Amino acid sequence: SHDYHFGLEDHEGISELFDCE
Amino acid sequence: PPQTPIKAAMASIQQLRGDLVSSGDQPSTTLATYFKNCTIDPTQGMLKRLEMLGQTFSQRFSQAVGPRFIIIGKQRFTLGVRLYYKVMEEMLKSEEKRLSVQNFSKLLNDSTFHTSLLACALEVVMATYGESSFKAGGYNQANGSETAETDLCFPWILDVFSLAAFDFYKVIESFIKAEPTLSKDIVKHLETCENLIMEKIAWRTGSVLFELLKQEHEGGAAEQAEAPAS
C-alpha cells in the first residue's frame, strides 16, 4: 500500500542480517 | 471538512494507539512460545534490557525537552515497547515460514537485534507524534546542516541507545514488511533515516562499517578465524 522500495535484494530475513541463521 | 496538518497528525496518533491497544505491555502468548522454544530462554535478558533502556530513554527525553515531560517520555517508551513486541512477533512468524524452524535462540539472545528493533519502534512512535516540534533545530533536510541544539529527531535515538547506524539500518526493511499498517508518512520517514545512514552517518569516523569492509578485503584471513559477522 506504500511506495517503499524493498532494496536489500540479497537478504531474505532478519536472522540473516544479524548473522543468526 | 478539509484535512489540516493537525487533523492528519491526530489521525496518525489515533491509528497508532488503536493498533497497539490489543498488543499489551507484555509479550503475547505466541511470542512467549517462541521464547520458550529457544535453547537459551531470552525472556529475563530481554526484560533487564528493556528496563535499562527505558530508564536511559526517559532520562534523555526529559533532558532534551524538559523535566516536566518525563511522564510523556515514559508513555512514548511504553508505546514503543508494544510496537517492538508486535513487530518482533510478525518477524518471527515470517522467519518460521521461511526457515521452517521454531528455535530462534541465537537471534533472540542477540542484544544488538533487540536494541535496533526497539530503537526503530521508538523512532516510529516519535515520528508519529512529530516529536521534532518540541524544539527547533536538529538535522535540516533542506541544506544538510546540523544545529548544536539537542532535539529528538533521528539520529537522536542512536545516540541514546549507543547504537551503530549500521545495525539500525538492518531492521528498517524487515520492520516495514512486518508492520503493513504503517502510514505512508512514517514509511517515508523511515526511508529518510535509511538514506541518512547510507549517505552520511554510516561513513562517520569510528563507524563499524570500516572494520567490516577491512575484514571483507582481507577475505581468506578473516574466514580462518571465528567467522565474523559479514
Side-chain angles (χ1 to χ4, degrees):
Chain A
S1 63
H2 43 63
D3 304 324
Y4 180 81
H5 172 69
F6 291 101
L8 291 173
E9 287 166 16
D10 291 333
H11 112 273
E12 292 184 283
I14 195 76
S15 313
E16 194 177 336
L17 282 173
F18 281 89
D19 201 26
C20 290
E21 253 188 25
Chain B
Q3 183 75 305
T4 66
I6 298 285
K7 274 187 187 164
M10 293 297 283
S12 301
I13 292 168
Q14 285 302 332
Q15 194 195 327
L16 178 74
R17 292 175 71 100
D19 287 344
L20 296 175
V21 150
S22 57
S23 300
D25 300 332
Q26 301 298 321
S28 68
T29 47
T30 309
L31 205 46
T33 307
Y34 279 117
F35 300 162
K36 291 272 177 298
N37 286 336
C38 288
T39 315
I40 301 166
D41 191 328
T43 313
Q44 289 312 311
M46 282 176 58
L47 293 176
K48 265 189 199 157
R49 189 181 303 107
L50 280 177
E51 195 189 329
M52 195 191 75
L53 294 175
Q55 281 173 4
T56 308
F57 180 87
S58 299
Q59 255 175 23
R60 290 289 302 271
F61 188 96
S62 63
Q63 269 172 21
V65 300
R68 284 184 299 142
F69 296 101
I70 193 156
I71 302 283
I72 293 186
K74 283 183 180 163
Q75 286 169 351
R76 299 287 188 272
F77 188 80
T78 304
L79 265 186
V81 170
R82 287 182 172 206
L83 187 57
Y84 155 83
Y85 282 139
K86 189 182 178 205
V87 171
M88 195 192 308
E89 185 174 324
E90 289 310 314
M91 282 179 171
L92 293 174
K93 280 180 187 166
S94 69
E95 286 295 78
E96 183 182 349
K97 256 191 214 155
R98 185 174 76 87
L99 301 166
S100 302
V101 294
Q102 291 173 325
N103 183 343
F104 294 102
S105 195
K106 199 173 173 198
L107 182 68
L108 291 173
N109 283 288
D110 186 321
S111 187
T112 310
F113 162 68
H114 287 288
T115 310
S116 303
L117 184 55
L118 181 63
C120 197
L122 283 164
E123 187 59 35
V124 167
V125 171
M126 309 258 278
T128 304
Y129 277 89
E131 240 35 296
S132 54
S133 61
F134 256 114
K135 265 194 172 187
Y139 185 78
N140 183 329
Q141 290 196 358
N143 62 19
S145 70
E146 278 179 1
T147 67
E149 203 168 2
T150 309
D151 70 24
L152 308 166
C153 275
F154 186 84
W156 179 80
I157 194 71
L158 301 185
D159 183 47
V160 173
F161 287 169
S162 305
L163 186 63
F166 176 73
D167 287 317
F168 184 88
Y169 188 95
K170 291 178 194 171
V171 295
I172 298 176
E173 186 171 314
S174 300
F175 196 102
I176 293 171
K177 276 184 185 164
E179 184 55 71
T181 64
L182 291 177
S183 72
K184 264 189 169 181
D185 282 346
I186 293 299
V187 172
K188 218 192 251 175
H189 174 75
L190 290 176
E191 265 184 304
T192 307
C193 299
E194 212 174 41
N195 291 335
L196 261 176
I197 294 171
M198 205 163 13
E199 290 166 13
K200 190 176 174 185
I201 306 170
W203 305 104
R204 283 181 183 158
T205 311
S207 168
V208 66
L209 210 52
F210 295 113
E211 187 52 38
L212 291 170
L213 284 171
K214 207 175 126 196
Q215 284 173 12
E216 189 73 16
H217 279 294
E218 283 162 4
E223 276 172 26
Q224 280 167 20
E226 267 293 293
S230 53

